[in-house]
Amino acid sequence: MPYNNPFIYSDDNKRYHTWNYYLKHHFHQKVCKVPLNANFSCPNRDGTCGVGGCTFCGSLGSGEFAGDIHKDLMQQFEDGKAMMHRKWPNAGLIAYFQAYTNTYAPLHVLKDTFDPFVERDDILAISIATRADCLEDDTIAYLQSLTKKKEIWVELGLQSVHDETAKRVNRGHTYAQFVSCIEKLAKTDIKIAVHLINSLPYETKDEMLESADRIAHLPIHAVKIHMLHIMENTKMAKEYEQHPFPVLSKEEYIDIVISQLELLPKEMIIQRLTGDGVKEHLITPEWTLKKVVVLNDIDKEMVRRDTWQGKRYR
């Protein structure tokens, strides 16, 4: 059938269900995320399930753009709020606990961390980046209790459904563990977002599409799709220097992303289709620095192909 309504889940002529559309129509205003660094650790760094972290992860635990760790969380939030409001004066705000694993702590520490933000009237929602092996039953029950006051998002870094890839990048947990966590979260009112990374070492296009196809059939609400960034001072950077592996070109990435979107149900929110890397520390691919160009090229190619999110979802 022809694509006859590109505005179902987009206010800006996108052919996929945009995060902005969800936020605008759910909260009835512009909404921004304020990234925070709560100084948590990670079980894949301290020896609980591994050491050294994921090979692609830098010293800041994927929180390069999070708040200043030398400031307390409320000051981080106030700084981020001021920055967002300079651009969007009336925007609503989401407190985004971004760096490292934000449920990897005793329950009383989590309560001390999240409760003050839940009580703030100027915060619409809380988003918590974590791992599937760091959500114990009591933690899930606590987060569920918070949904009575605020919308609560849990962002799970899956990256790939393939256990061989997970081993290769020292992920520290299996796809089965991830699915088990999703099944528990699905019994709550917690919103679930899942992260995928394209171009992990030696993964094929078919394997990347399989990752999208499998999460398409899980009870999740949103997905973030990233291109792999090879960053300085990571284990992957050393591996790449010693034994270079193929990295997707912009054209290859766009092709794969569009094919992944076709496999996802139209109701699934697309929170991101390209990620950030600190320019000064990015080894490759440099084309990712031009995010607006990448997003525009995705839009143009979807029009050229006359395709849309969910076209091949079964």
Side-chain angles (χ1 to χ4, degrees):
M1 59 177 288
Y3 187 76
N4 55 17
N5 189 350
F7 303 104
I8 296 175
Y9 289 118
S10 171
D11 291 317
D12 47 8
N13 206 29
K14 303 283 187 180
R15 292 184 168 222
Y16 53 89
H17 187 170
T18 67
W19 179 228
N20 279 339
Y21 179 93
Y22 170 78
L23 294 174
K24 179 180 177 181
H25 289 266
H26 185 65
F27 293 110
H28 308 292
Q29 65 182 117
K30 172 70 179 178
V31 181
C32 303
K33 271 184 169 181
V34 177
L36 304 169
N37 188 334
N39 200 26
F40 287 101
S41 184
C42 175
N44 202 17
R45 290 176 178 267
D46 66 9
T48 300
C49 69
V51 292
C54 299
T55 61
F56 54 78
C57 192
S59 61
L60 294 177
S62 297
E64 285 79 6
F65 298 97
D68 185 346
I69 192 63
H70 300 101
K71 299 180 179 180
D72 66 47
L73 280 170
M74 281 301 171
Q75 187 57 55
Q76 289 182 38
F77 182 80
E78 290 298 335
D79 291 347
K81 175 182 177 179
M83 182 175 68
M84 296 300 176
H85 279 176
R86 280 195 292 272
K87 188 170 184 180
W88 298 286
N90 300 312
L93 301 169
I94 296 174
Y96 179 27
F97 293 84
Q98 182 181 30
Y100 296 105
T101 305
N102 291 279
T103 57
Y104 187 51
L107 189 57
H108 71 89
V109 174
L110 301 183
K111 291 181 177 180
D112 289 343
T113 301
F114 302 135
D115 282 356
F117 289 87
V118 171
E119 297 302 325
R120 288 186 59 145
D121 292 335
D122 58 346
I123 293 176
L124 299 175
I126 310 290
S127 187
I128 301 166
T130 188
R131 292 165 53 96
D133 55 351
C134 291
L135 282 163
E136 304 296 334
D137 290 348
D138 59 348
T139 300
I140 293 175
Y142 163 64
L143 296 179
Q144 166 63 9
S145 72
L146 299 183
T147 65
K148 309 305 178 186
K149 297 182 177 180
K150 287 283 191 292
E151 182 165 284
I152 303 297
W153 282 86
V154 166
E155 297 193 22
L156 295 176
L158 172 62
Q159 322 312 357
S160 171
V161 303
H162 305 286
D163 285 342
E164 195 60 39
T165 299
K167 291 178 184 176
R168 194 178 295 130
V169 300
N170 195 39
R171 183 65 193 154
H173 67 70
T174 65
Y175 181 62
Q177 287 174 285
F178 168 81
V179 172
S180 176
C181 178
I182 292 292
E183 290 172 346
K184 291 180 180 180
L185 290 171
K187 298 175 183 177
T188 72
D189 299 304
I190 298 166
K191 303 289 189 181
I192 309 166
V194 175
H195 294 213
L196 294 179
I197 295 179
N198 287 333
S199 199
L200 289 170
Y202 305 107
E203 275 209 345
T204 65
K205 175 180 177 179
D206 285 345
E207 287 173 321
M208 294 177 228
L209 296 186
E210 184 180 351
S211 287
D213 190 42
R214 287 167 75 173
I215 70 163
H217 297 90
L218 294 177
I220 67 175
H221 304 87
V223 63
K224 284 185 176 180
I225 300 176
H226 301 257
M227 173 63 191
L228 175 69
H229 294 125
I230 302 180
M231 306 297 293
E232 292 178 349
N233 303 316
T234 61
K235 186 176 180 181
M236 185 172 286
K238 295 178 182 177
E239 294 173 354
Y240 185 75
E241 180 182 7
Q242 295 170 358
H243 303 286
F245 51 84
V247 176
L248 294 175
S249 68
K250 184 182 73 169
E251 293 71 25
E252 290 171 327
Y253 179 76
I254 289 170
D255 171 60
I256 290 170
V257 164
I258 292 173
S259 297
Q260 289 173 320
L261 289 172
E262 290 175 335
L263 294 169
L264 300 175
K266 62 183 180 180
E267 297 84 7
M268 189 174 289
I269 304 160
I270 310 302
Q271 287 197 359
R272 175 169 289 212
L273 288 181
T274 184
D276 295 300
V278 179
K279 181 178 180 180
E280 293 76 14
H281 303 297
L282 178 66
I283 295 173
T284 195
E286 292 187 359
W287 59 260
T288 59
L289 296 171
K290 298 180 179 179
K291 294 196 303 181
V292 173
V293 172
V294 176
L295 291 172
N296 287 343
D297 286 353
I298 289 172
D299 294 341
K300 292 174 188 175
E301 183 62 12
M302 293 186 81
V303 171
R304 191 190 71 81
R305 297 186 191 185
D306 189 28
T307 193
W308 56 90
Q309 179 182 339
K311 184 176 184 178
R312 295 194 292 140
Y313 173 70
R314 297 289 183 271

